[in-house]
Amino acid sequence: MSRCLSAGTTHRPRLRFDGWIAGMGTSSGTRIVLGRWQRSPFGPFNDVMLERADGERLLLAPTQESADFVRGTYAFDTVRVVPVGVGVADDTWTVTADPLHLRFTVGRRGLLGLLLRTVPGVLARRAAWSALTDRPARLLLPGVRTRGSAGADRREWYGARDLRRIGEVSAVFEGTDLGAAAPVEPPVRFGFGSVPRRPALVRVTTTVALEKGTAD
């Protein structure tokens, strides 16, 4: 998706990302957050954030440009630029991002997922909508927030448009089996909020307002 730049001295340049976020835990204590961005300022791309049981936060991103942007928005201890491939066949997702090999299945939508599917895209992009949904999101999905402060004096907000539960998970990192699916516990610490505690796949529109004075 193209860059969305706001003119004027009181507005910040805005970058918008449309796609999916999959968040899941494993019985080894590693938590995984996959981003599959079908439209973004960098073109379509995928990235993976991992927080290991010892607290190390790792980013896997496909290009230096996308890695620099994500690292500037969130907090990581280690960043690796590697190809990140995602394949979707029916309800099975397969992710290859050396040193990670991940496979998971998604189930049917619950009531919340059905409600989110009625949210128009134009509404999901609005900061006011994210402000309105922030408190309900915290109550319904502990750990989740829809707006907050990001790195480098950036602001960020999310508009969710779908939610499906994740079922089976198999993951291998650096040749080690990470175990079966588990809750995202403790919450991940990449940014101002976490993903749902129960493993889930969420369709989102994410908007990042850059620091004032940033050039295109």
Side-chain angles (χ1 to χ4, degrees), residues 161-208:
R161 300 180 60 196
D162 198 356
L163 184 147
R164 298 176 67 182
R165 298 300 184 187
I166 289 177
E168 296 181 357
V169 174
S170 62
V172 175
F173 182 77
E174 293 183 335
T176 299
D177 189 341
L178 298 182
V184 182
E185 187 64 38
V188 292
R189 303 172 299 117
F190 307 118
F192 60 81
S194 184
V195 293
R197 181 179 182 275
R198 183 175 177 181
L201 175 69
V202 184
R203 183 184 178 187
V204 295
T205 297
T206 301
T207 304
V208 180

Side-chain angles (χ1 to χ4, degrees), residues 11-13 69 72 151-155 208-215:
H11 294 84
R12 302 172 179 226
F69 177 81
D153 192 33
R154 297 170 182 174
R155 302 287 299 174
V208 180
L210 303 181
E211 62 272 27
K212 294 179 180 179
T214 301

